[in-house]
């Protein structure tokens, strides 16, 4: 939003409604479009109420794709019983509607450029395709973790994808080096992340907690790795001296919004004195400021932890491969079990 708020142009702002974004950026030109629920509603209509079916041409396209995947990757995806096939069908059914919405948006707004936070969902892809036909520049601003394992951004060769933005603004050269974007280098811009820089400057000299004689350990969770990471945090808690260490467990917004509550998801944490951050107003950057060590498995926050100069430790699971660049380049430590983690925690923290 920093970029948009500082532009000397009028703009329209479209977003998906989420539980975490109740107050869109202020602007008299802003238009709110609830794209997610439109798409969800259409799926229910198509699949249940009026029974719209794919034509034979579309069905054959999907079958050809599935056959190609089965052949190339030596797998056996069943056309009649597969989530992947269902997703293909949904996209083909929704495409005509989103295409009409995109054409209407472009016709009414006459944009000089279209800027995305993420292009990888159905609607942005369709909008991008139409913008490219009309020679309207499309730009994506990096929104989080992009590594070579991210299928939406990595391709085996440079190709022109009609559904991929023409330009990407990246946090730094690392992301340019480790990814195979389907774009030429001149279309990749190293813009940095001004918001992060501002927050780092704000919190880098913050006083530590009242227990300033304790080492503060921050676990950064999310709903993907939470079941594993919460157990690790519990084991670490039982093996460390509480007079020397304080543990904070930061929940991801998706975990916070879970109706069952974190006490149900991770009951072991409620049996400890671990401080569980279960709100969205406590800034992660503040927590970086008061912490000495940051531990996680898979999160953009692990890169931000390194940027804050914190000792960063990755616990190895099947998901850690997504952030392997951090330990391969020596920015973070990798451990494979709790005993190794405890040993790493107890090592002196280097400045």
């Amino acid at each position: 939003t920093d970029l948009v708020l500082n532009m000397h142009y009028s703009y329209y702002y479209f977003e998906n409604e989420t539980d975490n974004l109740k107050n869109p950026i202020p602007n008299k030109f802003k238009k709110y479009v609830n794209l997610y629920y439109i798409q969800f509603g259409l799926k229910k209509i198509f699949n249940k109420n009026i029974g719209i079916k794919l034509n034979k041409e579309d069905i054959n396209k999907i079958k050809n794709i599935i056959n190609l995947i089965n052949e190339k990757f030596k797998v056996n995806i069943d056309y009649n019983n597969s989530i992947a096939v269902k997703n293909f069908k949904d996209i083909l059914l929704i495409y005509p509607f989103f295409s009409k919405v995109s054409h209407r948006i472009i016709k009414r707004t006459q944009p000089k450029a279209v800027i995305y936070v993420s292009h990888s969902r159905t609607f942005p892809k369709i909008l991008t395709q139409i913008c490219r036909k009309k020679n309207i520049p499309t730009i994506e601003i990096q929104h989080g973790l992009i590594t070579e394992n991210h299928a939406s951004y990595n391709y085996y060769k440079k190709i022109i994808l009609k559904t991929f933005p023409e330009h990407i603004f990246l946090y730094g050269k690392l992301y340019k080096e480790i990814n195979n974007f389907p774009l030429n280098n001149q279309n990749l811009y190293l813009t940095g992340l001004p918001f992060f820089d501002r927050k780092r400057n704000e919190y880098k000299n913050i006083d530590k907690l009242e227990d300033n004689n304790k080492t503060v350990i921050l676990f950064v969770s999310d709903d993907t790795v939470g079941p594993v990471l919460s157990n690790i945090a519990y084991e670490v808690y039982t093996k460390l001296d509480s007079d020397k260490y304080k543990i904070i467990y930061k929940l991801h917004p998706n975990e916070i919004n879970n109706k069952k509550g974190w006490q149900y998801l991770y009951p072991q944490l409620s049996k400890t004195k671990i401080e569980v951050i279960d709100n969205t107003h406590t800034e992660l950057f503040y927590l970086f400021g008061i912490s000495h060590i940051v531990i996680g498995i898979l999160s953009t926050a692990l890169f931000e932890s390194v940027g804050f100069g914190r000792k960063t430790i990755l616990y190895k699971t099947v998901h850690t491969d997504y952030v392997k660049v951090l330990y391969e380049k020596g920015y973070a430590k990798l451990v494979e079990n709790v005993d190794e983690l405890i040993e790493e925690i107890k090592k002196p923290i280097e400045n």
Side-chain angles (χ1 to χ4, degrees):
T1 58
D2 287 354
L3 173 67
V4 176
L5 288 173
N6 291 319
M7 289 195 307
H8 300 291
Y9 302 98
S10 62
Y11 59 90
Y12 288 80
Y13 183 55
F14 298 88
E15 64 186 22
N16 290 317
E17 182 182 32
T18 71
D19 291 332
N20 306 319
L21 187 58
K22 295 297 185 183
N23 299 305
I25 57 176
N27 169 43
K28 64 180 180 180
F29 298 105
K30 181 187 72 64
K31 298 294 182 182
Y32 178 87
V33 177
N34 192 340
L35 300 172
Y36 175 81
Y37 289 105
I38 290 175
Q39 180 172 335
F40 181 78
L42 279 171
K43 287 183 180 181
K44 295 189 69 174
I45 292 173
F46 284 137
N47 294 336
K48 294 182 180 180
N49 295 348
I50 58 179
I52 294 177
K53 302 295 183 181
L54 294 174
N55 58 41
K56 289 184 178 180
E57 182 182 356
D58 288 334
I59 291 174
N60 287 333
K61 285 180 181 178
I62 296 175
K63 286 183 176 179
N64 288 337
I65 292 172
I66 297 302
N67 289 337
L68 184 62
I69 292 173
N70 286 338
E71 179 183 344
K72 291 289 185 181
F73 295 97
K74 310 300 180 186
V75 293
N76 185 26
I77 298 175
D78 183 359
Y79 176 84
N80 297 311
N81 186 25
S82 167
I83 294 176
V85 172
K86 183 180 182 301
N87 289 337
F88 280 138
K89 290 179 178 179
D90 287 345
I91 291 171
L92 286 173
L93 289 170
I94 288 171
Y95 182 92
F97 174 79
F98 272 177
S99 180
K100 288 181 180 179
V101 172
S102 298
H103 278 290
R104 185 173 298 177
I105 288 172
I106 292 170
K107 183 177 180 180
R108 293 185 63 179
T109 61
Q110 296 293 306
K112 300 296 183 184
V114 175
I115 303 173
Y116 307 98
V117 172
S118 173
H119 80 283
S120 57
R121 292 187 176 183
T122 305
F123 178 75
K125 285 182 177 292
I126 295 172
L127 181 60
T128 301
Q129 184 181 44
I130 294 169
C131 286
R132 279 184 169 256
K133 287 181 180 179
K134 295 180 177 292
N135 294 317
I136 299 170
T138 49
I139 304 165
E140 176 165 342
I141 301 174
Q142 185 177 349
H143 67 285
L145 183 60
I146 303 177
T147 67
E148 63 267 40
N149 292 296
H150 201 312
S152 294
Y153 296 91
N154 285 274
Y155 298 80
Y156 77 101
K157 66 178 182 179
K158 305 295 183 184
I159 55 177
I160 297 176
L161 283 176
K162 296 178 181 179
T163 57
F164 198 95
E166 294 176 272
H167 311 277
I168 298 184
F169 292 175
L170 298 170
Y171 295 161
K173 65 179 181 179
L174 175 66
Y175 296 96
K176 188 175 180 179
E177 293 171 353
I178 65 176
N179 290 288
N180 289 318
F181 296 106
L183 300 172
N184 294 321
N185 283 336
Q186 62 264 31
N187 296 88
L188 304 174
Y189 303 86
L190 307 183
T191 58
L193 184 56
F195 178 77
F196 173 79
D197 294 336
R198 188 167 68 246
K199 288 299 179 181
R200 181 174 55 186
N201 290 334
E202 180 179 348
Y203 291 120
K204 67 180 181 181
N205 294 320
I206 193 172
D207 290 335
K208 301 298 180 185
L209 295 175
E210 293 80 10
D211 301 320
N212 54 14
N213 61 323
K214 293 185 179 182
T215 298
V216 180
I217 303 170
L218 173 65
F219 283 84
V220 181
S221 184
D222 70 32
D223 51 338
T224 302
V225 303
V228 173
L229 190 65
S230 59
N231 283 326
I232 295 168
Y234 175 78
E235 284 193 60
V236 169
Y237 172 83
T238 61
K239 294 183 177 183
L240 288 179
D241 185 348
S242 60
D243 290 330
K244 296 181 179 179
Y245 297 92
K246 176 181 177 61
I247 298 177
I248 301 173
Y249 194 91
K250 173 68 173 70
L251 296 172
H252 188 276
N254 289 341
E255 294 170 301
I256 294 170
N257 292 326
N258 189 295
K259 293 180 180 179
K260 294 181 179 179
W262 67 266
Q263 295 88 346
Y264 175 85
L265 297 174
Y266 314 130
Q268 68 277 29
L269 296 183
S270 61
K271 302 174 184 177
T272 70
K273 292 183 180 180
I274 293 174
E275 182 181 353
V276 178
I277 306 299
D278 59 355
N279 63 75
T280 56
H281 60 261
T282 301
E283 283 199 64
L284 180 60
F285 302 114
Y286 164 76
L287 297 175
F288 286 148
I290 63 174
S291 299
H292 301 90
I293 300 171
V294 178
I295 300 170
I297 295 173
L298 169 67
S299 176
T300 308
L302 298 171
F303 286 77
E304 294 171 333
S305 168
V306 172
F308 257 76
R310 297 297 173 254
K311 181 176 182 178
T312 306
I313 306 174
L314 309 180
Y315 194 95
K316 187 176 182 179
T317 71
V318 294
H319 300 288
T320 318
D321 201 41
Y322 286 91
V323 293
K324 65 181 181 181
V325 64
L326 288 178
Y327 60 82
E328 285 181 343
K329 290 185 174 290
Y331 299 132
K333 301 292 184 180
L334 180 70
V335 298
E336 298 190 14
N337 54 60
V338 173
D339 289 336
E340 286 185 12
L341 179 56
I342 295 294
E343 182 181 346
E344 193 62 49
I345 288 172
K346 291 182 176 181
K347 289 181 180 179
I349 298 174
E350 300 175 2
N351 292 327

